[in-house]
Amino acid sequence: MVGIDTPSVDLYADDELPAHHAALKRGIAILECLALERVPEGLYELIALPLRLVGFDASPVRAILRPPAPKG
């Protein structure tokens, strides 16, 4: 998976979406519009479950970061 803080991995005016197609071809999920500026540096588990939409190739998600469980 690749996550970015912009609306698209492709240029806004690019109708061919080469980065989207390259990621899809390699089985790489894309998570766009991430807002991580207030998240402290560290390791997290990302949970991003998409809505089950019929006839679409993308979906909004509710992304949640969960800190790792304490060891011990």
Side-chain angles (χ1 to χ4, degrees):
M1 180 175 70
V2 62
I4 60 170
D5 61 353
T6 59
S8 179
V9 293
D10 286 298
L11 297 175
Y12 177 76
D14 193 340
D15 293 335
E16 294 185 19
L17 306 173
H20 280 86
H21 292 292
L24 178 63
K25 182 178 177 181
R26 290 165 180 81
I28 299 171
I30 301 169
L31 194 55
E32 298 165 330
C33 294
L34 291 174
L36 300 174
E37 58 273 355
R38 296 189 328 201
V39 177
E41 186 176 325
L43 296 176
Y44 297 89
E45 176 184 14
L46 171 64
I47 302 166
L49 300 176
L51 299 174
R52 179 169 265 165
L53 301 176
V54 177
F56 292 87
D57 62 358
S59 169
V61 300
R62 169 75 73 170
I64 299 169
L65 290 178
R66 183 167 65 176
K71 295 182 181 180

